[in-house]
Amino acid sequence: ALYLEADDEYEISDIDGESCYPNTILKCGFIPQLQGKGGKWMAEYQSILDQRVAAKHAGNKLVAGSLKLAANGTYGKLGSLFCSFYAPDLMLATCLTGQLNLLNLIDLISKIKGVRVMSANTDGIMVHYPRAVRDTLFKAVAVNAKQTGYKYEETKYLKAAMKDVNNYVMLKADGSIKAKGLYAPTSLEKNPTMEVCSRAVAEYLKKGTKPEAFIKKQKDITLFVTTRGVSDGGVQHTKFTMVDDWVESEVSPGHWYRPEWPEDRAFVKRKSRPKPVAVGVGGKPFGRVARWYMSTKIQPPITNAVNGNKVPKTDGAQLCMTLPDTLPADIDYQWYVDETYSILEDMGVPCTHRKATPSPN
């Protein structure tokens, strides 16, 4: 966990290499073996990157995001055996070059008095530093840029709240929010995951709004649901009952099975009879994607329809495969409030007026 706030004395900045891995490929000439077509490949890759950067600077997030996938996906495909430009040696060289450069940058700026590198990721670092050394810091960044040809972009933060390097919520200097990983907004790349909690965290960082006040004002059911894959299809039973129907194999004594098991399922090996098992009753099986919200009703969790394993974090859940037009009356607001405080606690954000308490479910 890491929580920082900018103040009159200290600033917080992200320093990111612009299109780090694509630029590494281009600047280092990491050309896949394509039967004489490597030059054309590099020219097309350069064109994709140029278009992406232009779209980003123009504020066209849709085009920039699409071309980012194309540019970064090309790097990833260097490691795919089934890709026409498969080149694992170039993939490794790209990764090592980028990481070594980042280490070089960290070494360079960490020598400046008062500068602390708080986190580092694939293509950038987050730095906490005295305002008095800002010019010195960015002169050092410029030195690295001149030596390597990388371009760097700065994003200034007022507050930085991190669970870890890939899961965080940041309040930018312009008042907007940058969220990643678990706390990122729902998109084509991320399934809904109780987004109301992430938004409540953002409002707390921006305005100090108490999570309970923010959450209870929300009327959109899509903010409360979570969607998750269930490999064999799922079911939410109406109840569980204890069943003792174990059968010992006549061929292999000490090997037990239940009559409902498929033939290829492994036996349970033990000398004595296994204990009775809880078996779900009722409920309608559904496909391989579960969607639910947290409910005040007391009922069984959602489980895998084949092996009976519980879908994580569905104790107290209500299956919601069809979205209702209005908020269900049984939404457990307190669960979402407590979850929000738990997220804030995981990121080290001080919440002196309220401590997270366990949900009754």
Side-chain angles (χ1 to χ4, degrees):
L2 173 67
Y3 179 68
L4 296 170
E5 292 187 10
D7 54 30
D8 292 340
E9 187 177 355
Y10 280 88
E11 290 191 84
I12 309 166
S13 291
D14 250 356
I15 303 172
D16 290 324
E18 185 178 76
S19 301
C20 183
Y21 279 10
N23 269 315
T24 300
I25 292 171
L26 291 164
K27 293 182 184 301
C28 294
F30 292 152
I31 306 175
Q33 297 298 318
L34 292 170
Q35 299 179 345
K37 297 179 180 179
K40 292 183 178 180
W41 186 91
M42 290 291 277
E44 186 60 33
Y45 193 41
Q46 181 70 66
S47 175
I48 291 172
L49 185 59
D50 290 343
Q51 292 177 65
R52 188 250 163 174
V53 172
K56 182 178 179 181
H57 291 165
N60 191 333
K61 294 183 179 180
L62 180 61
V63 172
S66 299
L67 292 175
K68 179 180 179 180
L69 288 176
N72 291 342
T74 299
Y75 158 75
K77 285 299 182 182
L78 291 173
S80 172
L81 182 62
F82 304 102
C83 182
S84 61
F85 50 84
Y86 172 62
D89 56 331
L90 299 186
M91 184 180 190
L92 181 60
T94 301
C95 181
L96 289 175
T97 300
Q99 294 300 293
L100 287 171
N101 173 65
L102 204 60
L103 289 170
N104 179 60
L105 177 62
I106 291 171
D107 178 65
L108 190 62
I109 66 176
S110 62
K111 295 175 182 177
I112 303 170
K113 186 176 180 179
V115 173
R116 294 192 300 161
V117 177
M118 307 307 298
S119 70
N121 208 339
T122 303
D123 57 358
I125 56 178
M126 187 176 74
V127 187
H128 187 230
Y129 57 96
R131 292 179 182 273
V133 302
R134 176 178 173 81
D135 289 346
T136 304
L137 168 64
F138 282 93
K139 283 180 182 178
V141 174
V143 167
N144 175 274
K146 185 176 181 179
Q147 290 173 338
T148 63
Y150 287 106
K151 294 181 180 179
Y152 291 98
E153 300 174 313
E154 180 197 11
T155 303
K156 294 179 69 174
Y157 298 130
L158 297 178
K159 296 179 182 179
M162 304 179 68
K163 181 178 186 291
D164 52 52
V165 72
N166 289 316
N167 299 284
Y168 57 72
V169 180
M170 308 290 198
L171 176 60
K172 296 182 182 180
D174 63 5
S176 63
I177 290 289
K178 178 182 178 181
K180 185 176 179 181
L182 295 170
Y183 317 122
T186 300
S187 67
L188 291 175
E189 299 176 19
K190 181 179 180 294
N191 286 330
T193 308
M194 52 191 182
E195 190 175 336
V196 70
C197 296
S198 299
R199 292 197 182 189
V201 167
E203 286 299 306
Y204 184 79
L205 293 177
K206 288 172 68 174
K207 304 174 184 178
T209 304
K210 293 182 179 181
E212 48 267 51
F214 175 82
I215 289 172
K216 290 179 181 179
K217 287 182 180 179
Q218 306 309 305
K219 303 300 180 184
D220 184 354
I221 181 62
T222 63
L223 296 180
F224 291 86
V225 298
T226 295
T227 300
R228 188 184 182 105
V230 185
S231 59
D232 300 310
V235 62
Q236 185 167 33
H237 297 295
T238 55
K239 65 177 182 178
F240 279 87
T241 184
M242 300 305 294
V243 174
D244 185 4
D245 59 356
W246 291 101
V247 178
E248 187 173 16
S249 170
E250 295 180 358
V251 178
S252 302
H255 289 65
W256 300 81
Y257 67 94
R258 296 185 58 229
E260 66 175 33
W261 283 5
E263 292 184 1
D264 59 350
R265 182 162 176 173
F267 289 100
V268 172
K269 299 178 182 180
R270 56 180 297 150
K271 294 180 179 179
S272 59
R273 185 182 188 85
K275 295 180 180 179
V277 294
V279 175
V281 177
K284 185 178 180 180
F286 57 88
R288 297 200 297 174
V289 176
R291 180 168 61 202
W292 69 87
Y293 63 87
M294 304 311 295
S295 169
T296 55
K297 293 188 293 188
I298 299 175
Q299 57 192 352
I302 300 169
T303 56
N304 184 299
V306 174
N307 59 31
N309 291 341
K310 184 179 75 174
V311 176
K313 298 197 79 168
T314 58
D315 289 308
Q318 171 60 55
L319 195 65
C320 184
M321 300 304 289
T322 301
L323 292 174
D325 294 329
T326 58
L327 282 180
D330 63 320
I331 278 188
D332 189 352
Y333 288 103
Q334 191 59 48
W335 188 95
Y336 292 96
V337 170
D338 290 338
E339 184 68 16
T340 301
Y341 279 108
S342 179
I343 292 171
L344 289 167
E345 182 180 321
D346 285 344
M347 297 189 295
V349 181
C351 301
T352 55
H353 64 280
R354 167 68 156 76
K355 294 184 178 179
T357 56
S359 171
N361 290 322

